[in-house]
Amino acid sequence: MVISALVLLMACAYASPSSPEAGVDYQVISTSAPSYVPAGKIEVLDFFWYASPQDYALEPKLAAWAKSQNPDVIFKRVPVAFNANFAPQQRLFHALDTLGYADQLALKIFEEIQVKRNNLLTPQAQANFVAEQGVDRQKFLSAYNSFANAAGVRQDNRLVNQYLIQSVPSFVVQGQYKTSVALTQSIEGTIAVLDFLVSKARLETVQAQ
């Protein structure tokens, strides 16, 4: 199932909207929320799920895209659990993010869950896995069980509800625009729309000054 989904997604990866349209390739958020970033910065929220084949397929290009952005772009990952059973995967992200390993281990986590079928749904399974990747087991468990981690998960869920996130991967730019692979129907299309929305937000930020 995972492999077939990836093949289908890759097959349409080279389609990209040449001129993104509101209501088609992205949505204008009617009740935009404030972005808690410094003035002049552009916030990009990435709503993702480690068990999503689309997120797995997108990850290499998305990671490269994030690294290529100008310093005014603040890229934030928001782990999603549409089912409470997957909340431990949200905590996995926040523990690794606290320790500085979230980006470094992202692709390995996708592979562990989707290829090796180890869902990493308990602290013990996660600690065993991250220890194999060179992460201190006790430091991981401490970060996993921290109050800050629980607060991070609550914030994730608040953002999912606030922006009406119904599928992953989805992106919110500057609290005003939302796009997703479900809308663009391709990996390259999603990246192209993100470029468009970041440029649009940057221009609007300058005009507002």
Side-chain angles (χ1 to χ4, degrees), residues 60-98:
K61 286 186 178 295
L62 181 62
W65 180 86
K67 289 180 181 178
S68 72
Q69 295 307 295
N70 292 338
D72 65 339
V73 175
I74 297 178
F75 180 75
K76 297 180 181 179
R77 295 184 186 264
V78 182
V80 170
F82 293 119
N83 184 315
N85 292 332
F86 293 101
Q89 293 178 353
Q90 291 175 288
R91 299 192 73 123
L92 168 63
F93 168 81
H94 287 293
L96 291 176
D97 193 44
T98 296

Short mmCIF file of all heavy atoms in Angstrom, two decimals, residues 60-98:
data_model
loop_
_atom_site.label_atom_id
_atom_site.label_comp_id
_atom_site.label_asym_id
_atom_site.label_seq_id
_atom_site.Cartn_x
_atom_site.Cartn_y
_atom_site.Cartn_z
N PRO A 60 12.45 14.71 1.04
CA PRO A 60 13.76 15.15 0.52
C PRO A 60 13.70 16.52 -0.16
O PRO A 60 14.57 17.37 0.07
CB PRO A 60 14.13 14.04 -0.47
CG PRO A 60 13.38 12.84 0.00
CD PRO A 60 12.07 13.38 0.51
N LYS A 61 12.69 16.74 -0.99
CA LYS A 61 12.57 18.02 -1.68
C LYS A 61 12.20 19.14 -0.71
O LYS A 61 12.67 20.27 -0.85
CB LYS A 61 11.54 17.92 -2.81
CG LYS A 61 12.03 17.14 -4.02
CD LYS A 61 11.05 17.21 -5.16
CE LYS A 61 11.57 16.46 -6.38
NZ LYS A 61 12.78 17.09 -6.95
N LEU A 62 11.35 18.82 0.26
CA LEU A 62 10.95 19.84 1.23
C LEU A 62 12.13 20.26 2.10
O LEU A 62 12.31 21.45 2.37
CB LEU A 62 9.81 19.32 2.10
CG LEU A 62 9.28 20.29 3.15
CD1 LEU A 62 8.69 21.53 2.48
CD2 LEU A 62 8.23 19.61 4.03
N ALA A 63 12.93 19.30 2.52
CA ALA A 63 14.10 19.62 3.34
C ALA A 63 15.06 20.51 2.55
O ALA A 63 15.61 21.49 3.09
CB ALA A 63 14.80 18.34 3.78
N ALA A 64 15.27 20.19 1.27
CA ALA A 64 16.14 21.01 0.43
C ALA A 64 15.55 22.39 0.23
O ALA A 64 16.27 23.40 0.25
CB ALA A 64 16.37 20.32 -0.92
N TRP A 65 14.23 22.44 0.05
CA TRP A 65 13.56 23.73 -0.13
C TRP A 65 13.73 24.60 1.11
O TRP A 65 14.05 25.79 1.01
CB TRP A 65 12.07 23.51 -0.41
CG TRP A 65 11.29 24.76 -0.61
CD1 TRP A 65 11.12 25.47 -1.77
CD2 TRP A 65 10.57 25.50 0.41
NE1 TRP A 65 10.34 26.58 -1.55
CE2 TRP A 65 9.99 26.63 -0.22
CE3 TRP A 65 10.37 25.32 1.76
CZ2 TRP A 65 9.23 27.57 0.47
CZ3 TRP A 65 9.60 26.24 2.47
CH2 TRP A 65 9.04 27.35 1.82
N ALA A 66 13.52 24.04 2.27
CA ALA A 66 13.62 24.80 3.52
C ALA A 66 15.03 25.36 3.70
O ALA A 66 15.21 26.51 4.12
CB ALA A 66 13.24 23.91 4.70
N LYS A 67 16.04 24.56 3.36
CA LYS A 67 17.43 25.01 3.52
C LYS A 67 17.79 26.11 2.53
O LYS A 67 18.69 26.91 2.78
CB LYS A 67 18.38 23.83 3.33
CG LYS A 67 18.34 22.82 4.47
CD LYS A 67 19.31 21.67 4.22
CE LYS A 67 19.26 20.65 5.35
NZ LYS A 67 20.17 19.50 5.09
N SER A 68 17.08 26.18 1.41
CA SER A 68 17.40 27.15 0.37
C SER A 68 16.74 28.51 0.57
O SER A 68 17.00 29.44 -0.20
CB SER A 68 17.01 26.59 -1.00
OG SER A 68 15.59 26.59 -1.16
N GLN A 69 15.89 28.63 1.58
CA GLN A 69 15.13 29.86 1.75
C GLN A 69 15.99 31.01 2.29
O GLN A 69 17.00 30.79 2.95
CB GLN A 69 13.95 29.63 2.69
CG GLN A 69 12.92 28.66 2.15
CD GLN A 69 12.44 29.05 0.77
OE1 GLN A 69 11.81 30.09 0.58
NE2 GLN A 69 12.73 28.21 -0.22
N ASN A 70 15.54 32.22 1.98
CA ASN A 70 16.22 33.41 2.50
C ASN A 70 16.08 33.47 4.02
O ASN A 70 15.17 32.86 4.59
CB ASN A 70 15.62 34.67 1.87
CG ASN A 70 15.91 34.78 0.39
OD1 ASN A 70 16.86 34.19 -0.11
ND2 ASN A 70 15.07 35.53 -0.32
N PRO A 71 16.95 34.23 4.67
CA PRO A 71 16.91 34.31 6.14
C PRO A 71 15.59 34.85 6.69
O PRO A 71 15.32 34.66 7.89
CB PRO A 71 18.07 35.27 6.46
CG PRO A 71 18.99 35.14 5.30
CD PRO A 71 18.11 34.94 4.11
N ASP A 72 14.79 35.50 5.86
CA ASP A 72 13.53 36.05 6.39
C ASP A 72 12.43 35.00 6.51
O ASP A 72 11.36 35.28 7.06
CB ASP A 72 13.04 37.22 5.52
CG ASP A 72 12.67 36.81 4.10
OD1 ASP A 72 13.15 35.75 3.65
OD2 ASP A 72 11.93 37.55 3.44
N VAL A 73 12.68 33.78 6.04
CA VAL A 73 11.69 32.71 6.11
C VAL A 73 11.95 31.84 7.34
O VAL A 73 13.05 31.32 7.52
CB VAL A 73 11.70 31.84 4.85
CG1 VAL A 73 10.74 30.65 4.99
CG2 VAL A 73 11.32 32.67 3.63
N ILE A 74 10.93 31.70 8.17
CA ILE A 74 11.00 30.84 9.35
C ILE A 74 10.14 29.61 9.10
O ILE A 74 8.92 29.71 9.01
CB ILE A 74 10.54 31.58 10.62
CG1 ILE A 74 11.46 32.76 10.89
CG2 ILE A 74 10.51 30.64 11.82
CD1 ILE A 74 11.07 33.60 12.09
N PHE A 75 10.80 28.47 8.95
CA PHE A 75 10.12 27.21 8.61
C PHE A 75 9.92 26.39 9.87
O PHE A 75 10.87 26.10 10.59
CB PHE A 75 10.96 26.43 7.59
CG PHE A 75 10.38 25.12 7.16
CD1 PHE A 75 9.32 25.08 6.28
CD2 PHE A 75 10.91 23.93 7.64
CE1 PHE A 75 8.79 23.86 5.87
CE2 PHE A 75 10.39 22.72 7.25
CZ PHE A 75 9.33 22.68 6.35
N LYS A 76 8.67 26.03 10.15
CA LYS A 76 8.36 25.27 11.36
C LYS A 76 7.56 24.02 11.01
O LYS A 76 6.59 24.09 10.26
CB LYS A 76 7.52 26.12 12.34
CG LYS A 76 8.22 27.37 12.85
CD LYS A 76 7.30 28.13 13.80
CE LYS A 76 7.94 29.40 14.32
NZ LYS A 76 7.01 30.15 15.22
N ARG A 77 7.98 22.92 11.58
CA ARG A 77 7.25 21.67 11.38
C ARG A 77 6.21 21.49 12.49
O ARG A 77 6.50 21.76 13.66
CB ARG A 77 8.21 20.48 11.37
CG ARG A 77 9.18 20.49 10.18
CD ARG A 77 10.02 19.24 10.19
NE ARG A 77 11.05 19.24 9.17
CZ ARG A 77 10.93 18.66 7.97
NH1 ARG A 77 9.79 18.05 7.66
NH2 ARG A 77 11.92 18.69 7.10
N VAL A 78 5.03 21.03 12.12
CA VAL A 78 3.95 20.80 13.07
C VAL A 78 3.47 19.35 12.91
O VAL A 78 2.76 19.03 11.95
CB VAL A 78 2.77 21.76 12.84
CG1 VAL A 78 1.68 21.52 13.88
CG2 VAL A 78 3.23 23.21 12.87
N PRO A 79 3.87 18.46 13.81
CA PRO A 79 3.42 17.06 13.71
C PRO A 79 1.93 16.93 14.00
O PRO A 79 1.41 17.56 14.92
CB PRO A 79 4.27 16.34 14.76
CG PRO A 79 4.58 17.40 15.78
CD PRO A 79 4.72 18.68 14.99
N VAL A 80 1.27 16.11 13.20
CA VAL A 80 -0.19 15.98 13.28
C VAL A 80 -0.55 14.56 13.71
O VAL A 80 0.07 13.58 13.29
CB VAL A 80 -0.83 16.28 11.91
CG1 VAL A 80 -2.30 15.93 11.90
CG2 VAL A 80 -0.62 17.75 11.55
N ALA A 81 -1.58 14.45 14.55
CA ALA A 81 -2.15 13.15 14.91
C ALA A 81 -3.67 13.27 14.80
O ALA A 81 -4.32 13.75 15.71
CB ALA A 81 -1.74 12.74 16.31
N PHE A 82 -4.20 12.86 13.66
CA PHE A 82 -5.65 12.92 13.49
C PHE A 82 -6.35 11.91 14.39
O PHE A 82 -7.53 12.02 14.66
CB PHE A 82 -6.02 12.67 12.03
CG PHE A 82 -5.56 13.77 11.09
CD1 PHE A 82 -4.68 13.50 10.07
CD2 PHE A 82 -6.01 15.07 11.26
CE1 PHE A 82 -4.27 14.50 9.20
CE2 PHE A 82 -5.60 16.08 10.40
CZ PHE A 82 -4.73 15.80 9.37
N ASN A 83 -5.60 10.90 14.81
CA ASN A 83 -6.07 9.88 15.74
C ASN A 83 -5.19 9.94 16.97
O ASN A 83 -3.97 9.97 16.87
CB ASN A 83 -5.99 8.50 15.08
CG ASN A 83 -6.55 7.39 15.93
OD1 ASN A 83 -6.28 7.31 17.13
ND2 ASN A 83 -7.32 6.50 15.31
N ALA A 84 -5.80 9.96 18.16
CA ALA A 84 -5.04 10.09 19.40
C ALA A 84 -4.02 8.97 19.58
O ALA A 84 -3.02 9.15 20.30
CB ALA A 84 -5.99 10.11 20.59
N ASN A 85 -4.22 7.83 18.91
CA ASN A 85 -3.26 6.73 19.03
C ASN A 85 -1.88 7.11 18.49
O ASN A 85 -0.88 6.47 18.84
CB ASN A 85 -3.78 5.50 18.28
CG ASN A 85 -4.99 4.87 18.94
OD1 ASN A 85 -5.16 4.99 20.15
ND2 ASN A 85 -5.84 4.22 18.15
N PHE A 86 -1.85 8.13 17.63
CA PHE A 86 -0.58 8.53 17.02
C PHE A 86 0.07 9.72 17.73
O PHE A 86 1.10 10.22 17.27
CB PHE A 86 -0.79 8.84 15.54
CG PHE A 86 -1.14 7.63 14.72
CD1 PHE A 86 -2.46 7.39 14.35
CD2 PHE A 86 -0.18 6.72 14.35
CE1 PHE A 86 -2.80 6.27 13.63
CE2 PHE A 86 -0.50 5.59 13.61
CZ PHE A 86 -1.83 5.36 13.25
N ALA A 87 -0.52 10.16 18.83
CA ALA A 87 0.05 11.27 19.59
C ALA A 87 1.50 11.00 20.01
O ALA A 87 2.30 11.94 20.07
CB ALA A 87 -0.81 11.58 20.80
N PRO A 88 1.89 9.74 20.32
CA PRO A 88 3.30 9.50 20.66
C PRO A 88 4.27 9.93 19.57
O PRO A 88 5.42 10.28 19.86
CB PRO A 88 3.35 7.99 20.90
CG PRO A 88 1.98 7.65 21.38
CD PRO A 88 1.07 8.53 20.56
N GLN A 89 3.83 9.90 18.32
CA GLN A 89 4.71 10.35 17.24
C GLN A 89 4.89 11.86 17.27
O GLN A 89 5.95 12.38 16.86
CB GLN A 89 4.16 9.90 15.88
CG GLN A 89 4.21 8.38 15.70
CD GLN A 89 3.62 7.94 14.38
OE1 GLN A 89 3.04 8.72 13.64
NE2 GLN A 89 3.74 6.66 14.08
N GLN A 90 3.88 12.59 17.75
CA GLN A 90 4.05 14.03 17.96
C GLN A 90 5.12 14.27 19.04
O GLN A 90 5.99 15.12 18.89
CB GLN A 90 2.74 14.67 18.41
CG GLN A 90 1.65 14.73 17.34
CD GLN A 90 0.35 15.27 17.89
OE1 GLN A 90 -0.33 14.60 18.66
NE2 GLN A 90 0.00 16.50 17.51
N ARG A 91 5.03 13.50 20.12
CA ARG A 91 5.99 13.64 21.21
C ARG A 91 7.40 13.26 20.76
O ARG A 91 8.39 13.83 21.21
CB ARG A 91 5.54 12.82 22.41
CG ARG A 91 4.20 13.24 22.98
CD ARG A 91 3.93 12.62 24.33
NE ARG A 91 4.75 13.22 25.37
CZ ARG A 91 4.28 13.80 26.47
NH1 ARG A 91 2.97 13.88 26.65
NH2 ARG A 91 5.09 14.29 27.37
N LEU A 92 7.48 12.28 19.86
CA LEU A 92 8.78 11.89 19.28
C LEU A 92 9.42 13.09 18.60
O LEU A 92 10.60 13.38 18.82
CB LEU A 92 8.57 10.75 18.28
CG LEU A 92 9.75 10.39 17.37
CD1 LEU A 92 10.94 9.90 18.19
CD2 LEU A 92 9.32 9.33 16.35
N PHE A 93 8.64 13.77 17.78
CA PHE A 93 9.18 14.95 17.08
C PHE A 93 9.66 15.99 18.07
O PHE A 93 10.78 16.51 17.95
CB PHE A 93 8.14 15.57 16.16
CG PHE A 93 8.55 16.92 15.65
CD1 PHE A 93 9.41 17.04 14.58
CD2 PHE A 93 8.11 18.09 16.28
CE1 PHE A 93 9.84 18.29 14.13
CE2 PHE A 93 8.53 19.33 15.84
CZ PHE A 93 9.40 19.43 14.76
N HIS A 94 8.84 16.33 19.05
CA HIS A 94 9.20 17.42 19.97
C HIS A 94 10.41 17.05 20.83
O HIS A 94 11.24 17.93 21.12
CB HIS A 94 8.00 17.79 20.84
CG HIS A 94 6.95 18.54 20.09
ND1 HIS A 94 7.15 19.83 19.61
CD2 HIS A 94 5.69 18.20 19.71
CE1 HIS A 94 6.07 20.24 18.98
NE2 HIS A 94 5.18 19.27 19.02
N ALA A 95 10.53 15.80 21.21
CA ALA A 95 11.70 15.38 21.99
C ALA A 95 12.97 15.54 21.15
O ALA A 95 13.98 16.08 21.62
CB ALA A 95 11.54 13.94 22.45
N LEU A 96 12.91 15.10 19.90
CA LEU A 96 14.07 15.22 19.02
C LEU A 96 14.35 16.67 18.66
O LEU A 96 15.51 17.08 18.52
CB LEU A 96 13.87 14.38 17.76
CG LEU A 96 13.88 12.86 17.97
CD1 LEU A 96 13.57 12.14 16.68
CD2 LEU A 96 15.23 12.40 18.53
N ASP A 97 13.30 17.45 18.51
CA ASP A 97 13.48 18.87 18.20
C ASP A 97 14.19 19.57 19.36
O ASP A 97 15.09 20.40 19.15
CB ASP A 97 12.12 19.52 17.94
CG ASP A 97 12.24 20.89 17.32
OD1 ASP A 97 13.05 21.07 16.39
OD2 ASP A 97 11.51 21.80 17.75
N THR A 98 13.81 19.23 20.58
CA THR A 98 14.45 19.81 21.77
C THR A 98 15.94 19.47 21.80
O THR A 98 16.77 20.32 22.16
CB THR A 98 13.78 19.28 23.04
OG1 THR A 98 12.42 19.72 23.08
CG2 THR A 98 14.50 19.76 24.30
#
